[in-house]
Amino acid sequence: MKAWIVLKPHAERKLRNFYPWAFHDDIARVHGDPEPGAVVEVRDATGALVGRAFYNPAAHIPLRMLTRGDEPVDAGWLRRRLAEAADRRRSIRDTNAVRLVHGEADGLPGLIVDRYGDVLVVQIRNLGMERWRELLVDALRERFAPRGIYERSDVEAREDEGLEPRAGLLWGEIPDPLEVEEDGLVFETSAIRGQKTGFYLDQRENRRRLRGMVRPGDRVLDVYGYIGTFAIHAAAAGATAMVIDKDPWALQQAERNAARNGLASRITVRLGDALEMMEALRAEGRRFTHVVLDPPAMVKRRTEWERGVRRRFVEMAALALRLLEEGGVLFFSSCAYPVRLEDLIEAVRLAAADVGCRLVVRDVTYQPPDHPWVLQIPETLYLKTLIVEKQR
């Protein structure tokens, strides 16, 4: 039996303005008995077709829009969306690692696809896309001809959709480690053991900014440094750099990557909690010309920011500013959508008041173009970086 969802009056306005989600409060009634994860028609209160969507009544977001209007959702639709997403990435240069699909921002809700050379790493976040798993693998093979496809769907978002975490090989074979080429450097990482899908693709432009900013003899501190990407970019420009992380495997990779690029003599690592290691460096009297703070998301909901994460951001920023010499530059990022740019600015401003220094804004940056930010989908803007210079 054909199924469709009828929205309450005016609930369709945001959907027709390209917002991709409708919530339980937007739904007036359900016709038929659609299976969880099925594709359903979405109609406004007058019965007019708005589009088609994945439907999961058990999820916090029950409707995730796939089309606007009467476009069929089938294998051809999926292939077209993948081709359109790939076409948007044609301008990405000097790297073999690119995000090919960025979920709702590419009209493919709940799907992440990252390319590392001839390997694809996918993440499936909702039940609708989960039901398309086999079709998706076929479409990816047809469009990109990869050597292998690996899945890293081990994310909390799946729990809300009633799904278990999943990780493993979907097709073909993948090397371990993977090799990421970026601006003449090579980084070894792992789709199996690494964080996210193996690499922080969204910080590419900030790594380039740092590399263009440092000079021979500069001293760089890379906090939450993972496999040392910021540090190694800085070292390639003549700086010495230290990587802090609490993951032993990541720091081993950082040392391997430094050696792989002939920069082992310029890179040191410290294993431990970020704030504790920064306090220890301050006690040692260490000072740096650049500090990079790229913490994990920490915040899933806005209330968590108010309950204590804001204070942690202020503490991190204050420690970083105390470790910076005069004229030094801080890169401070947040990859959590609930943390707004103004929140990040406020945290650094409060930290500057604690330290007693003047800060000049050098730049504010966002995620790169292979992680699209759609104006009508505020949730697609998640990465914000404040770059400030310390002055008296």
Side-chain angles (χ1 to χ4, degrees):
M1 179 180 178
K2 187 176 181 180
W4 67 90
I5 310 296
V6 178
L7 301 174
K8 293 179 180 178
H10 311 303
E12 80 285 354
R13 290 178 178 175
K14 61 183 179 181
L15 303 181
R16 287 184 168 142
N17 192 35
F18 301 94
Y19 190 72
W21 300 338
F23 299 88
H24 290 282
D25 288 346
D26 297 317
I27 296 174
R29 58 190 180 274
V30 179
H31 284 266
D33 187 23
E35 294 182 10
V39 176
V40 298
E41 289 186 355
V42 179
R43 301 182 183 182
D44 66 17
T46 71
L49 182 67
V50 178
R52 291 183 170 85
F54 285 142
Y55 177 61
N56 184 357
H60 174 64
I61 304 171
L63 288 173
R64 298 176 183 270
M65 298 303 295
L66 301 169
T67 71
R68 298 173 70 251
D70 195 19
E71 181 183 359
V73 178
D74 53 20
W77 172 87
L78 178 59
R79 288 194 296 267
R80 287 192 300 275
R81 288 289 169 96
L82 290 174
E84 291 164 359
D87 191 57
R88 295 185 190 104
R89 275 73 177 175
R90 288 186 303 169
S91 63
I92 306 298
R93 297 286 186 271
D94 300 319
T95 183
N96 72 338
V98 177
R99 174 150 294 182
L100 293 173
V101 176
H102 191 55
E104 278 79 350
D106 283 304
L108 288 161
L111 178 64
I112 300 296
V113 182
D114 290 340
R115 182 180 67 200
Y116 299 103
D118 57 1
V119 168
L120 301 180
V121 184
V122 304
Q123 188 175 96
I124 296 171
R125 293 170 169 255
N126 65 48
L127 180 58
M129 198 60 72
E130 178 83 11
R131 288 171 53 134
W132 283 44
R133 178 186 301 276
E134 292 184 10
L135 188 63
L136 173 64
V137 170
D138 290 342
L140 290 172
R141 289 178 60 191
E142 177 184 326
R143 180 64 182 81
F144 301 108
R147 172 182 173 183
I149 304 174
Y150 194 83
E151 181 175 13
R152 283 295 304 268
S153 299
D154 47 351
V155 290
E156 290 183 16
R158 287 174 61 88
E159 183 178 348
D160 179 64
E161 294 278 334
L163 298 170
E164 296 291 329
R166 288 187 60 156
L169 188 66
L170 289 178
W171 179 82
E173 60 180 13
I174 66 164
D176 190 34
L178 295 173
E179 288 190 356
V180 175
E181 300 170 7
E182 186 174 271
D183 299 334
L185 299 171
V186 178
F187 299 95
E188 292 183 5
T189 188
S190 174
I192 300 169
R193 291 173 289 176
Q195 297 174 19
K196 291 193 173 181
T197 64
F199 199 76
Y200 286 83
L201 297 170
D202 53 7
Q203 286 283 11
R204 182 190 309 114
E205 299 301 326
N206 282 332
R207 290 189 287 267
R208 289 170 173 168
R209 281 181 175 84
L210 177 67
R211 185 170 176 176
M213 189 179 294
V214 301
R215 296 292 180 265
D218 281 354
R219 301 172 307 285
V220 176
L221 180 63
D222 185 3
V223 186
Y224 302 99
Y226 187 41
I227 60 172
T229 51
F230 274 103
I232 290 168
H233 269 277
T240 57
M242 177 182 293
V243 184
I244 293 175
D245 205 279
K246 65 179 182 180
D247 182 350
W249 175 84
L251 289 185
Q252 289 173 2
Q253 286 299 120
E255 292 179 316
R256 285 175 59 88
N257 287 329
R260 178 74 185 271
N261 290 282
L263 299 168
S265 63
R266 296 183 179 276
I267 303 288
T268 58
V269 302
R270 288 207 180 185
L271 176 67
D273 174 78
L275 268 63
E276 292 176 3
M277 294 298 100
M278 293 169 75
E279 286 279 16
L281 290 170
R282 182 187 173 203
E284 295 168 15
R286 301 289 296 271
R287 294 293 181 269
F288 298 87
T289 58
H290 301 77
V291 176
V292 178
L293 281 176
D294 183 21
M298 295 188 186
V299 177
K300 302 294 184 184
R301 299 169 187 82
R302 181 68 191 173
T303 53
E304 295 170 338
W305 172 257
E306 301 295 345
R307 285 203 303 260
V309 175
R310 177 173 66 173
R311 186 67 242 170
R312 185 172 175 85
F313 268 55
V314 174
E315 292 171 2
M316 281 192 290
L319 278 169
L321 292 173
R322 289 188 170 98
L323 288 168
L324 274 177
E325 62 182 32
E326 185 178 344
V329 174
L330 169 65
F331 283 62
F332 196 173
S333 296
S334 170
C335 62
Y337 160 70
V339 180
R340 301 180 295 248
L341 175 62
E342 53 265 37
D343 297 325
L344 189 60
I345 291 172
E346 180 196 33
V348 177
R349 179 181 58 78
L350 291 172
D354 291 344
V355 174
C357 64
R358 180 173 183 259
L359 297 178
V360 174
V361 177
R362 296 280 294 271
D363 205 352
V364 174
T365 69
Y366 304 99
Q367 63 233 37
D370 57 338
H371 295 63
W373 165 24
V374 179
L375 192 64
Q376 292 98 327
I377 313 176
E379 294 85 353
T380 59
L381 173 58
Y382 72 99
L383 181 63
K384 289 81 58 174
T385 303
L386 180 63
I387 306 174
V388 294
E389 179 181 329
K390 178 182 178 181
Q391 298 180 352
R392 287 185 177 177

